[in-house]
Amino acid sequence: MPGKGEKTAFNLKDVVVLTAGPGWVKDPQERGVSVSWKIGCGDSITESEKSYVSVGHLKSASQTGAFKNELRSPVVAWHVTYGRVKHRQVVRVRRQALAQTPMPTSAFVTPTSAIVTQVIGTPTIARSPTVFTVTPTATRIIPSPTQTTNPYGPSITPIIPITTVPPPNTKPYIYIPINNLTAVINVPFTFYIQPDTFRDKEDGQTPNLKLDMYDPQGNELPPDFWVKLDKTSQSLTGIPKVLDDTEIALIVTDSKGLMSMLLVITIRVVLKNVPPVLINHVDLIPLYIGQPLVFKVPEDTFHDEEDGPTPKLRLSMKTREYEILDALSWVTFDVLSQTIYALPVGDLIGKHEFLLIAYDSTGKKTIDAFEFHINPAPVEPNHYFGLKLDADYKKTFEKSVTMRVKLCVEIGKYFGDRFNTSYQDIRVNGYREGSVILEWNFANIATNVTGVEDYKRKYVREDTMDTPFPKFKEDFVCPISPKCSVVETWVVMVEQVTTTPDPNVIGRADDDDDGTWWEYTIIPAFVIAALIFIIGLIIIICIRCRRKSRLDKNEKVVFVQRKKPAVFREEYPMREVYGNQPLITPNEKAPLPPPAYPRSSTPTEDPSERLLSDSSPSYQPPFDSGHEPAGNSRPPVASYRLPPPYVAP
């Protein structure tokens, strides 16, 4: 309906709202129509007319929904306005009358009945937190003619002008807000603004509007701000450098220049998310056949940079073939407590491999492979303990490994309070239906007859064979159900059979598809020996090739076929010349001849001396004989010559 100063279908001006109120519909979902009519006329209206009966009827009919049945549409809001009539030139109509002269009347004559109008067009309805306003669009009102009685002449038809009200433009608004975003430090960040983030009734969704980015207070961002707005693709891009939260504000403008409210978005900058890290392997879990196990995964098994240690991660356990554990009957994993429950009974001796998987909050995972080594009992026990419980075997015991292990834990608690034992000493022989029957022995007293008798006195009444000990029946807590109770207890002694434990069983796999023990000892030893032999052979070949490569062409001719070296002339050692000949130097001269003495024929002359002097030749230096070793080209060595003969004076 029109407000103050707006035009109406009745051509009023300076409109004043007298009274108004909400209708039957509080949250309109569709575009509606505007209906108006007159309840009076004149240049003024008195205060008493505000309480006119029709005004009260209008208020009640709008709020109670009475108009819905008549108008076939719910009412959003109503109001009563007052305005002055624009004065127009009086329209005179020439008419012919038989008896009376026609008198012209004003176009605005008080009608005797309500004006029925037909409204064409749809208005838009905007809602504020406290005031309901109706915004009309182009409305065309077509009045239906009514007859008015004139005592002075025939009736005339009032002329109602057609008024067109242009619809006002509305501001864009936030339709689907954007939640907080996450960016990784030093990693390119891109986020595309969704088309339905903003809406405008005239222009449509976000792609048809002008998008801008500011800080949360609506101020301009600095030029070096790490988040950039691409107005063409309407996306946020950038590379965060600081590990901190960033707040930005988006705003859109329609084609008429109207702006929406600020949409504040927080971008959380985090470290790069990496999968959890395996710190300590579970590796190996040894068990004996029939031994119950409660194994809680240690807190330091995995660690995640974002989520923390193992309790903060989500764990799961699967087989080596990556299958779930539902098909197995002896092992299970509790996700909430991160605990492994196992009770191997039957033909399960050997190695069994499983996978422990850790997931972080983003779904990234790390896998740890570990093994169960199930070994046979080292000795055959000489007793069996039996227990019968009043419980449902099919629903709560047969298919629940956790329930069977917890039953063994409760039995261990009862005997542990009275003896030095625990549930880990229990070796389950089997369980069967009727209701629930469990048989086991204690490994710590497997062959101890006295110990068995001590346990028996705290378990079975001495005067009976199957009646539970009263204290056991009182203190034992059945984990199967609150209504579970002990029916019978018994202890059976059996003949002990001595068995020799196989030393190869502990810590090895059985003869199955996974291989036998010698595959883990003999084969690796042969492989290592072969590798050592090959490495040694390669080293020898390399050494021989290196020796040959050191000789060049000139050095190779030095060696003969038999590897005898050639000795050069300068390399021969000087040999000492042994003999009686004197050493003669190259520039040595011959000695002077002996002095000549006159010969005399005295009788005292010795004839032998004269013969010696006559027959001895003059002294000559020795000559070089030239006898040298074959192949020796060294210079001849001068020898000593004999001294001259002695001549008596």
Side-chain angles (χ1 to χ4, degrees):
M1 288 186 179
K4 182 177 180 181
E6 295 184 359
K7 294 182 179 181
T8 66
F10 304 106
N11 198 21
L12 303 178
K13 66 177 182 179
D14 297 334
V15 177
V16 178
V17 178
L18 299 179
T19 180
W24 184 62
V25 177
K26 305 299 182 182
D27 190 8
Q29 302 296 329
E30 298 180 357
R31 301 168 68 92
V33 298
S34 176
V35 180
S36 61
W37 64 91
K38 284 185 177 182
I39 61 174
C41 63
D43 293 338
S44 63
I45 186 169
T46 61
E47 187 69 24
S48 60
E49 289 176 324
K50 295 181 182 179
S51 59
Y52 187 63
V53 179
S54 59
V55 176
H57 180 69
L58 174 63
K59 177 179 179 181
S60 61
S62 299
Q63 294 180 352
T64 59
F67 274 148
K68 180 180 179 182
N69 298 329
E70 299 297 334
L71 300 178
R72 298 181 180 177
S73 296
V75 177
V76 177
W78 64 272
H79 63 248
V80 179
T81 59
Y82 163 74
R84 292 187 297 108
V85 180
K86 288 186 178 181
H87 295 283
R88 294 176 177 269
Q89 185 178 1
V90 178
V91 179
R92 298 182 180 272
V93 181
R94 181 181 296 271
R95 294 180 182 275
Q96 295 180 353
L98 295 177
Q100 295 180 354
T101 303
M103 295 181 62
T105 58
S106 175
F108 293 91
V109 181
T110 304
T112 57
S113 62
I115 301 174
V116 180
T117 60
Q118 179 180 0
V119 181
I120 302 174
T122 56
T124 58
I125 300 172
R127 176 189 173 189
S128 64
T130 57
V131 180
F132 287 86
T133 61
V134 180
T135 305
T137 60
T139 305
R140 183 181 180 185
I141 303 176
I142 305 176
S144 61
T146 58
Q147 298 294 330
T148 60
T149 304
N150 189 358
Y152 301 101
S155 61
I156 61 174
T157 303
I159 301 173
I160 306 298
I162 299 175
T163 304
T164 302
V165 181
N169 186 38
T170 58
K171 296 192 302 183
Y173 58 94
I174 302 171
Y175 186 66
I176 298 180
I178 299 176
N179 296 328
N180 295 341
L181 305 178
T182 302
V184 181
I185 190 169
N186 296 326
V187 177
F189 167 78
T190 302
F191 178 78
Y192 291 91
I193 307 300
Q194 298 299 318
D196 54 359
T197 303
F198 296 92
R199 276 190 179 182
D200 185 73
K201 294 181 179 179
E202 292 77 22
D203 297 335
Q205 293 186 340
T206 310
N208 301 328
L209 305 174
K210 180 184 176 183
L211 184 64
D212 295 294
M213 182 176 68
Y214 300 95
D215 65 0
Q217 288 74 33
N219 302 320
E220 294 288 340
L221 294 172
D224 58 347
F225 194 68
W226 74 270
V227 181
K228 305 296 181 183
L229 174 63
D230 188 351
K231 296 184 179 181
T232 304
S233 61
Q234 292 190 342
S235 62
L236 302 175
T237 59
I239 300 177
K241 299 295 183 181
V242 180
L243 194 64
D244 195 5
D245 293 346
T246 303
E247 288 188 345
I248 60 173
L250 298 178
I251 189 172
V252 293
T253 307
D254 64 4
S255 58
K256 300 299 182 180
L258 296 179
M259 301 173 59
S260 68
M261 298 179 60
L262 290 175
L263 174 60
V264 180
I265 303 173
T266 302
I267 303 177
R268 181 186 177 190
V269 181
V270 298
L271 294 173
K272 184 177 181 180
N273 188 22
V274 296
V277 180
L278 179 60
I279 303 299
N280 295 314
H281 295 266
V282 177
D283 197 15
L284 175 64
I285 301 178
L287 280 177
Y288 286 100
I289 191 72
Q291 181 182 5
L293 171 70
V294 180
F295 179 82
K296 183 173 178 57
V297 179
E299 294 186 0
D300 58 351
T301 304
F302 300 95
H303 187 271
D304 187 74
E305 292 294 336
E306 295 78 20
D307 300 334
T310 306
K312 302 293 184 179
L313 305 176
R314 179 171 59 89
L315 302 184
S316 65
M317 180 177 169
K318 296 185 179 181
T319 64
R320 184 180 62 179
E321 293 78 15
Y322 215 79
E323 298 178 353
I324 59 177
L325 303 179
D326 294 345
L328 299 177
S329 60
W330 65 275
V331 62
T332 188
F333 182 74
D334 190 348
V335 178
L336 298 179
S337 63
Q338 296 183 348
T339 305
I340 300 174
Y341 295 93
L343 182 59
V345 177
D347 190 14
L348 294 174
I349 297 176
K351 181 188 70 174
H352 303 271
E353 186 174 353
F354 294 90
L355 303 177
L356 187 62
I357 309 170
Y359 299 89
D360 63 4
S361 57
T362 61
K364 294 187 177 181
K365 64 181 179 180
T366 299
I367 300 177
D368 179 25
F370 68 98
E371 296 178 350
F372 283 100
H373 283 194
I374 302 177
N375 310 303
V379 296
E380 191 72 20
N382 61 358
H383 65 277
Y384 291 104
F385 283 68
L387 174 64
K388 183 177 181 180
L389 301 174
D390 183 12
D392 192 343
Y393 179 83
K394 292 291 185 180
K395 293 182 180 180
T396 60
F397 191 81
E398 183 182 19
K399 298 180 180 180
S400 177
V401 181
T402 305
M403 194 60 62
R404 296 195 292 270
V405 174
K406 289 183 177 180
L407 179 59
C408 296
V409 172
E410 293 298 329
I411 295 174
K413 286 182 180 180
Y414 173 79
F415 286 98
D417 295 339
R418 294 156 178 81
F419 305 100
N420 186 19
T421 186
S422 67
Y423 77 94
Q424 297 179 350
D425 295 327
I426 295 177
R427 303 292 183 266
V428 176
N429 301 325
Y431 50 87
R432 62 184 184 272
E433 185 177 5
S435 303
V436 174
I437 298 176
L438 181 70
E439 293 183 345
W440 74 94
N441 64 82
F442 289 95
N444 58 329
I445 55 170
T447 59
N448 189 350
V449 179
T450 305
V452 174
E453 293 295 332
D454 295 338
Y455 280 53
K456 182 180 179 180
R457 281 192 293 269
K458 300 294 183 181
Y459 185 61
V460 182
R461 290 182 58 176
E462 296 182 359
D463 55 346
T464 61
M465 297 295 295
D466 56 1
T467 303
F469 186 68
K471 197 65 176 176
F472 175 78
K473 198 169 184 178
E474 294 177 2
D475 297 345
F476 177 73
V477 178
C478 181
I480 299 177
S481 66
K483 298 181 179 180
C484 175
S485 60
V486 178
V487 178
E488 295 181 9
T489 58
W490 64 89
V491 178
V492 178
M493 302 297 294
V494 296
E495 183 180 357
Q496 184 177 2
V497 178
T498 304
T499 59
T500 303
D502 186 0
N504 297 321
V505 171
I506 305 298
R508 72 166 177 89
D510 196 17
D511 294 340
D512 51 11
D513 296 338
D514 296 332
T516 54
W517 64 272
W518 54 269
E519 293 182 2
Y520 304 96
T521 55
I522 303 300
I523 292 179
F526 276 104
V527 171
I528 294 174
L531 291 176
I532 294 175
F533 175 76
I534 294 173
I535 293 173
L537 185 62
I538 293 174
I539 293 174
I540 294 174
I541 294 174
C542 293
I543 293 175
R544 291 179 62 87
C545 294
R546 185 177 180 185
R547 286 182 177 178
K548 290 183 179 181
S549 61
R550 286 183 177 179
L551 300 177
D552 54 10
K553 294 182 179 180
N554 297 329
E555 293 177 345
K556 288 181 180 180
V557 298
V558 176
F559 296 95
V560 294
Q561 295 181 354
R562 295 184 181 181
K563 300 295 187 292
K564 293 182 179 181
V567 182
F568 295 96
R569 175 181 177 182
E570 293 80 5
E571 296 177 350
Y572 275 101
M574 296 292 294
R575 295 185 303 174
E576 295 185 10
V577 180
Y578 297 96
N580 297 327
Q581 296 181 354
L583 178 63
I584 300 175
T585 60
N587 54 358
E588 185 177 2
K589 296 182 180 181
L592 296 175
Y597 296 98
R599 299 180 180 271
S600 60
S601 57
T602 58
T604 59
E605 183 180 1
D606 189 356
S608 61
E609 293 181 356
R610 186 173 60 251
L611 180 61
L612 180 60
S613 62
D614 295 337
S615 61
S616 59
S618 60
Y619 175 78
Q620 297 293 334
F623 59 91
D624 190 6
S625 61
H627 295 283
E628 296 180 0
N632 188 4
S633 60
R634 66 193 180 111
V637 180
S639 61
Y640 292 96
R641 61 181 180 178
L642 296 175
Y646 176 76
V647 179

